[in-house]
Amino acid sequence: LPDPVVRNMDDANCAYTSFRSVLEAELGPPVGVKVGFTSQDVRDRFGVEEPISGALFGPMLLPNGSRLSLRGSRMPHFEADLVVTVGDPAIMRATTREEVAAALRDVRPFIELPDIAFSRGTVPTAPIMAAYGGAPWRGVLGEGVKVAELSDPVANLAALTVDLKADGTSVAQGTGDMLLGHPLDVVLWLVGQGSYDLPAGTMISLGSLSPLTEAAPGVEVSADYVIDGKPMRVATRLTE
């Protein structure tokens, strides 16, 4: 990806509008939204106070257990993420965590593989990352848990845990409260931005629950989650 020559977030938003139109022409209409910079550590590293967002497209998302080829990527990494699916478009009027939870269909385990594929010499900055919508590339979705089956969705999502593994060895652990302090606050932020319509079926990637780990062919990546005592799992085999 070339340096988009953006110096601030206003420039980045204009650049992303053009980049998104290119993606839509190639990949079809978006099926979801990726929210990035939701962890405090990442915001501190990039010197920003708010998250960024970008569209997710169907061809980027693979089902649980897929073999994922790294062909075409330049600097692929993997991380544990979390996806929620919109069940009711009334989510666009939500102002509390409880209202968000009531408008969600399910929560799903998600391994994201961003590709930090910038041209040589380009140092990723917050505006550059925003100009590319957070640089999504591929992701693997597991089967989730219906929000209606959780005993206390607001508390359960905050207490969610995940163990990210490479070839069966743990590489990172995370908890739901790493995401803007609460996963549902990510959705509230997104709704407040007003940049995306969120009809039923829209998937929202809430951000990273682990540091980025370099992806390499031959590695089996898996992530084991627990929410309200219910396990969720997602896995993929990386190939050349």
Side-chain angles (χ1 to χ4, degrees):
L1 298 173
D3 185 343
V5 194
V6 292
R7 299 293 176 258
N8 54 56
M9 287 302 189
D10 288 337
D11 289 348
N13 291 335
C14 290
Y16 181 64
T17 298
S18 298
F19 182 60
R20 175 175 165 173
S21 66
V22 172
L23 291 177
E24 289 186 8
E26 294 181 356
L27 303 176
V31 297
V33 183
K34 166 190 169 71
V35 184
F37 292 1
T38 54
S39 77
Q40 188 64 54
D41 287 346
V42 173
R43 292 197 302 281
D44 289 345
R45 176 152 50 91
F46 280 91
V48 295
E49 296 182 358
E50 288 195 331
I52 61 175
S53 60
L56 288 175
F57 298 87
M60 295 177 173
L61 306 177
L62 302 175
N64 188 27
S66 295
R67 295 173 67 86
L68 196 160
S69 172
L70 299 178
R71 186 177 297 113
S73 63
R74 291 186 57 190
M75 294 181 63
H77 292 72
F78 64 84
E79 62 185 15
D81 203 306
L82 190 67
V83 160
V84 291
T85 309
V86 176
D88 186 338
I91 199 168
M92 296 298 295
R93 301 188 296 274
T95 59
T96 67
R97 294 172 180 173
E98 289 77 11
E99 289 172 346
V100 172
L104 293 177
R105 178 186 304 164
D106 59 24
V107 54
R108 302 179 66 179
F110 185 48
I111 296 171
E112 187 188 358
L113 286 96
D115 185 19
I116 316 300
F118 298 114
S119 56
R120 188 181 303 276
T122 299
V123 178
T125 63
I128 288 175
M129 293 296 290
Y132 286 112
W137 181 62
R138 297 288 186 273
V140 182
L141 273 167
E143 291 299 318
V145 172
K146 293 185 184 302
V147 172
E149 295 176 355
L150 298 175
S151 61
D152 183 343
V154 175
N156 299 152
L157 279 161
L160 171 145
T161 63
V162 61
D163 187 8
L164 180 66
K165 299 175 182 177
D167 288 332
T169 299
S170 179
V171 297
Q173 297 84 38
T175 57
D177 58 7
M178 294 171 63
L179 304 173
L180 273 190
H182 196 290
L184 297 175
D185 289 353
V186 180
V187 183
L188 285 171
W189 176 85
L190 184 63
V191 168
Q193 295 303 296
S195 300
Y196 292 89
D197 289 327
L198 302 173
T202 300
M203 291 178 283
I204 305 172
S205 165
L206 301 180
S208 176
L209 291 167
S210 70
L212 287 172
T213 300
E214 186 173 348
V219 175
E220 181 180 1
V221 182
S222 61
D224 293 293
Y225 299 68
V226 177
I227 181 169
D228 194 24
K230 300 173 175 60
M232 303 189 297
R233 189 172 197 273
V234 60
T236 182
R237 169 72 66 174
L238 305 181
T239 67
E240 293 184 355

